[in-house]
């Protein structure tokens, strides 16, 4: 499989704080690749350099063979790289419906947008009942669904997921990962950031582990799952 | 004061208040739309009004262009000027040092530049008057006396505000502006081009300021300091909650009416105090302003 996304020696910093140094990773088309690491390891920063919210100080980012490290954030979205951010980054004072429509902001194919709207509501039936509700009043789990739905409305080719399980009950975590699995089976390529290493290593085919902004370990997910040091540090047994 | 006179004053105060209030409402709208989308109070708003007034004056009096060219040309020039200021200056300032304080200082800088420029050209030396759009004729509404010019001012302001609200609520660009105001990061993640939206917001704010300038210029003496009228726009914005667009409009009308009632019932010397009275009253009763959201304590 050709790589849909390829980071080579990417460094980034916030002022004097070096957040990433020489990070390299590859996401082959059609796969789920996991990016793990403890708090402050630089996972979100990595996604944000790809989404062009954080500038890179050196290194290159290629999407579909094209260098994108100097693109603007809206160009990346238009190119098909869409991030589901951590936290509850919905448009609080807009309705659920408007939030989903905002997801399709860069698209002009009205008929296909309507079809995707239906598709998203089929993925998340809860949202259908709440289309007119103010997004800020949704529960945490519902907001996470909305974020995922909003990202799908952009018709991504590559989905960047930042801790989709954070703060969700086990049932919801299962539900979200069920959907992630289905999306991937439908052909979507996914870069998944997670702290919940057990779940992430189950649903990904390959995984990277960041420590203090550097790539510490990488390998096939089922191998990492059996690796002793990984088990001790990230799986807790 | 007999009851009859009081009733007459009340009618006159409300009528005159609605008319000047409509201009304050436009100014407040121009201030709030920028603040809402970038959290920067634009301290050059007054000078944008003043500059637009002088552009119109220049085109009309010195180039002898007809009014139907002067008006759109002035609005366009103000739109372009404000959008370019956002794109060329503020973007640069934000990139060099993102702290909002520097952006505010940059807007102050623009206000000095514009005032200095008008002084340099010599236009501002003598107070000038702008010929009215329509011959003012007196009309009685109820017992209140207004002029045809007043009615044109009120009607124009209302049409401009309605168009603005429609754009903000129903167009894709308007929705993107709201999105940027609510959550700029999320807006970028769905593909909103922040630079473009900020340019349009500043452009609209400049355009609305130009409309306000065209509306008030026939009624006031134009000087390089005429931008101080925007103080009342700021007052209206504060009364309305500073982040609410409908609040800005209601605040504008309220301040216009209070000013006029104070002038008629108390003394015309107290008019300058009226806006501050209104601000204090509102802040005591509802600290977040009439239309401001709940007072939120931001968790950092
Ligand atoms: N906007 C910022 N300004 C300054 N430093 C930042 C900023 N964002 C992140 N950092 C720092 O960069 C480092 C990496 O942060 P990042 O958010 O990428 O970690 P993370 O792996 O996503 O952590 P978590 O699992 O807690 O979300 C941290 O040390 C953090 O303090
Ligand atoms: Mg993170």
């Amino acid at each position: 499989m050709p790589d849909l996304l390829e980071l080579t020696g990417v460094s980034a910093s916030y002022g004097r704080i070096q957040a990433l140094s020489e990070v390299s990773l590859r996401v082959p088309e059609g796969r789920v690749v996991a990016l793990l690491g403890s708090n402050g390891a630089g996972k979100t920063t990595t996604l944000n350099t790809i989404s062009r919210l954080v500038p890179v100080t050196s290194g290159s980012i290629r999407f579909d063979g094209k260098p994108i490290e100097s693109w603007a954030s809206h160009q990346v979205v238009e190119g098909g790289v869409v991030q589901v951010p951590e936290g509850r980054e919905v448009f609080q004072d807009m309705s659920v419906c408007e939030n989903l429509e905002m997801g399709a902001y860069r698209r002009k194919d009205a008929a296909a947008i309507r079809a995707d709207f239906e598709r998203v509501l089929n993925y998340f039936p809860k949202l259908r009942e709440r289309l007119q509700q103010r997004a800020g009043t949704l529960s945490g789990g519902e907001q996470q669904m909305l974020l995922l739905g909003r990202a799908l409305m952009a018709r991504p080719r590559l989905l960047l997921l930042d801790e989709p399980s954070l703060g969700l009950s086990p049932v919801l975590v299962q539900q979200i990962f069920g959907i992630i699995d289905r999306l991937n089976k439908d052909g979507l390529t996914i870069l998944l950031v997670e702290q919940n290493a057990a779940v992430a290593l189950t649903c990904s085919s390959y995984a990277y582990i960041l420590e203090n902004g550097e790539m510490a370990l990488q390998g096939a997910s089922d191998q990492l799952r059996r690796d002793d040091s990984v088990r001790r540090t990230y799986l807790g047994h | 004061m007999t009851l009859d006179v009081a009733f007459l004053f009340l009618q006159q105060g409300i009528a005159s208040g609605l008319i000047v209030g409509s201009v304050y409402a436009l100014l407040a709208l121009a201030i709030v739309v920028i603040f809402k989308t970038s959290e920067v109070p634009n301290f050059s708003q007054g000078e944008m009004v003043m500059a637009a007034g002088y552009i119109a004056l220049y085109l009309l009096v010195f180039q002898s262009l007809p009014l139907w060219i002067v008006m759109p040309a002035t609005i366009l020039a103000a739109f372009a000027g404000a959008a370019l200021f956002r794109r060329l200056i503020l973007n640069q300032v934000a990139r060099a040092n993102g702290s909002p304080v520097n952006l505010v200082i940059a807007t102050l800088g623009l206000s000095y530049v514009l005032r200095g420029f008008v002084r340099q050209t010599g236009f501002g030396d003598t107070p000038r008057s702008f010929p009215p759009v329509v011959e003012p004729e007196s009309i009685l509404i109820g017992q209140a006396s207004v002029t045809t010019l007043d009615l044109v001012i009120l009607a124009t302001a209302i049409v401009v505000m309605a168009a603005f609200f429609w754009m903000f609520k129903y167009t894709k660009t308007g929705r993107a502006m709201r999105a940027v105001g609510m959550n700029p990061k999320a807006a970028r993640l769905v593909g909103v081009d922040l630079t473009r939206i900020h340019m349009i917001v500043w452009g609209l704010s400049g355009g609305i300021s130009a409309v306000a300038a065209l509306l008030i210029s026939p009624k006031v003496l134009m000087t390089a300091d005429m931008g101080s009228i925007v103080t009342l726009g700021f007052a209206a914005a504060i009364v309305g909650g500073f982040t609410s667009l409908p609040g800005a409009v209601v605040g504008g009308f309220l301040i216009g009416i209070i000013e006029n009632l104070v002038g008629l019932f108390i003394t015309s010397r107290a008019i300058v105090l009226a806006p501050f009275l209104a601000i204090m009253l509102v802040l005591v009763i509802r600290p977040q302003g009439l239309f401001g959201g709940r007072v939120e304590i931001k968790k950092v």
Side-chain angles (χ1 to χ4, degrees):
Chain A
M1 277 285 174
D3 292 329
L4 191 56
L5 180 75
E6 185 177 5
L7 270 65
T8 318
V10 168
S11 301
S13 54
Y14 300 102
R16 258 163 298 165
I17 305 165
Q18 175 98 5
L20 293 180
S21 41
E22 304 274 321
V23 167
S24 299
L25 65 81
R26 289 139 53 111
V27 183
E29 186 142 27
R31 297 289 172 77
V32 178
V33 169
L35 179 60
L36 311 174
S38 47
N39 289 111
K43 306 178 298 293
T44 300
T45 305
T46 305
L47 295 191
N48 283 344
T49 59
I50 302 167
S51 288
R52 310 297 314 117
L53 299 184
V54 170
V56 298
T57 46
S58 67
S60 83
I61 305 173
R62 284 178 168 272
F63 173 68
D64 205 14
K66 294 183 287 278
I68 62 168
E69 68 271 1
S70 57
W71 287 17
S73 51
H74 65 272
Q75 294 172 305
V76 177
V77 175
E78 188 146 345
V81 182
V82 182
Q83 185 187 146
V84 178
E86 68 182 331
R88 310 279 176 241
E89 306 272 4
V90 296
F91 298 112
Q92 298 262 342
D93 295 330
M94 287 188 190
S95 66
V96 167
C97 183
E98 279 184 302
N99 266 271
L100 290 174
E101 284 166 1
M102 273 311 289
Y105 180 74
R106 294 223 73 85
R107 296 174 57 187
K108 295 189 176 63
D109 42 349
I113 292 175
R114 265 197 304 280
D116 283 345
F117 192 77
E118 276 307 308
R119 196 169 68 101
V120 165
L121 293 182
N122 287 339
Y123 274 122
F124 308 107
K126 265 261 170 55
L127 295 183
R128 192 189 292 277
E129 304 158 19
R130 298 171 191 282
L131 278 178
Q132 297 314 320
Q133 190 173 328
R134 210 172 67 86
T137 62
L138 294 177
S139 76
E142 289 161 355
Q143 291 194 20
Q144 192 62 45
M145 307 268 177
L146 179 57
L147 284 182
L148 202 51
R150 187 180 75 192
L152 294 178
M153 287 301 293
R155 266 234 170 150
R157 288 184 61 200
L158 171 67
L159 195 61
L160 310 174
L161 285 174
D162 200 350
E163 307 210 29
S165 72
L166 193 71
L168 300 189
S169 68
V171 182
L172 268 183
V173 172
Q174 256 193 353
Q175 202 179 333
I176 288 260
F177 277 93
I179 287 163
I180 290 171
D181 215 42
R182 247 171 87 194
L183 289 169
N184 177 244
K185 291 229 163 63
D186 291 344
L188 187 59
T189 311
I190 296 171
L191 176 57
L192 169 68
V193 161
E194 258 303 331
Q195 290 220 34
N196 187 339
V199 184
L201 288 176
T202 317
C203 76
S204 61
S205 59
Y206 199 86
Y208 293 86
I209 299 182
L210 268 177
E211 266 171 29
N212 295 321
E214 289 177 36
M215 211 51 99
L217 204 63
Q218 65 180 72
S221 299
D222 45 4
Q223 268 166 26
L224 288 181
R225 220 164 21 191
R226 288 192 297 267
D227 184 288
D228 277 341
S229 72
V230 173
R231 292 172 72 129
R232 238 175 298 124
T233 322
Y234 297 101
L235 298 174
H237 55 84
Chain B
M1 188 183 292
T2 65
L3 216 57
D4 278 356
V5 176
F7 186 54
L8 173 79
F9 276 12
L10 190 66
Q11 290 179 55
Q12 184 65 50
I14 290 175
S16 307
L18 286 175
I19 290 151
V20 284
S22 70
V23 176
Y24 301 160
L26 282 177
L27 296 171
L29 208 56
I31 292 164
V32 169
V33 70
I34 285 182
F35 186 75
K36 229 178 134 61
T37 45
S38 53
E39 309 225 322
V40 176
N42 173 20
F43 285 119
S44 60
Q45 204 79 49
E47 281 65 33
M48 281 161 61
V49 172
M50 181 272 297
Y54 276 104
I55 292 173
L57 187 76
Y58 172 76
L59 295 176
L60 196 69
V61 177
F62 294 84
Q63 299 295 324
S64 317
L65 290 171
L67 213 51
W68 63 269
I69 293 183
V70 170
M71 297 216 271
T74 302
I75 294 168
L76 266 176
F79 185 102
L84 285 178
F85 174 72
R86 168 73 226 191
R87 176 73 183 84
L88 300 178
I89 310 291
L90 287 192
N91 257 22
Q92 213 54 39
V93 174
R95 196 168 306 163
N97 176 345
S99 97
V101 177
N102 291 31
L103 296 177
V104 173
I105 291 172
T107 70
L108 272 175
L110 176 65
S111 76
Y112 287 116
V113 168
L114 288 176
R115 230 180 306 169
F117 183 74
V118 167
R119 292 223 174 89
Q120 270 306 289
T121 55
F123 275 167
D125 291 352
T126 40
R128 292 168 196 274
S129 224
F130 197 82
V133 193
V134 289
E135 263 334 294
E137 268 172 57
S138 231
I139 300 177
L140 275 184
I141 297 177
Q143 287 174 291
S145 154
V146 296
T147 67
T148 40
L149 178 64
D150 289 339
L151 294 183
V152 169
I153 290 176
L154 183 63
T156 310
I158 287 174
V159 167
V160 168
M161 287 188 271
F164 176 82
F165 276 104
W166 178 83
M167 188 280 315
F168 204 67
K169 180 99 184 110
Y170 295 110
T171 67
K172 197 167 178 179
T173 303
R175 181 182 283 167
M177 287 177 192
R178 284 188 284 140
V180 171
M182 274 173 232
N183 191 334
K185 179 181 162 200
R188 291 181 73 183
L189 287 177
V190 297
V192 173
D193 180 353
L194 242 59
T195 306
R196 178 172 164 274
I197 293 299
H198 279 145
M199 277 179 77
I200 297 176
V201 165
W202 274 75
L204 282 173
S205 179
I208 294 173
S209 303
V211 172
L214 291 168
L215 294 180
I216 53 159
S217 295
K219 298 200 79 164
V220 298
L221 277 182
M222 296 178 69
T223 70
D225 298 318
M226 71 184 271
S228 59
I229 187 173
V230 164
T231 316
L232 294 160
F234 271 102
I238 294 170
V239 166
F242 223 82
T243 52
S244 160
L245 295 164
V249 171
V250 172
F253 283 119
L254 260 182
I255 289 204
I257 291 170
I258 291 174
E259 260 190 355
N260 276 279
L261 291 180
V262 165
L264 288 168
F265 281 96
I266 304 172
T267 154
S268 58
R269 272 174 299 175
I271 287 180
V272 283
L273 294 178
F276 303 101
L277 211 74
I279 290 177
M280 297 230 280
L281 254 171
V282 169
L283 291 188
V284 167
I285 300 167
R286 257 181 84 83
Q288 67 272 46
L290 291 180
F291 286 67
R294 285 157 282 115
V295 182
E296 276 181 44
I297 296 157
K298 283 203 175 144
K299 282 178 243 141
V300 182

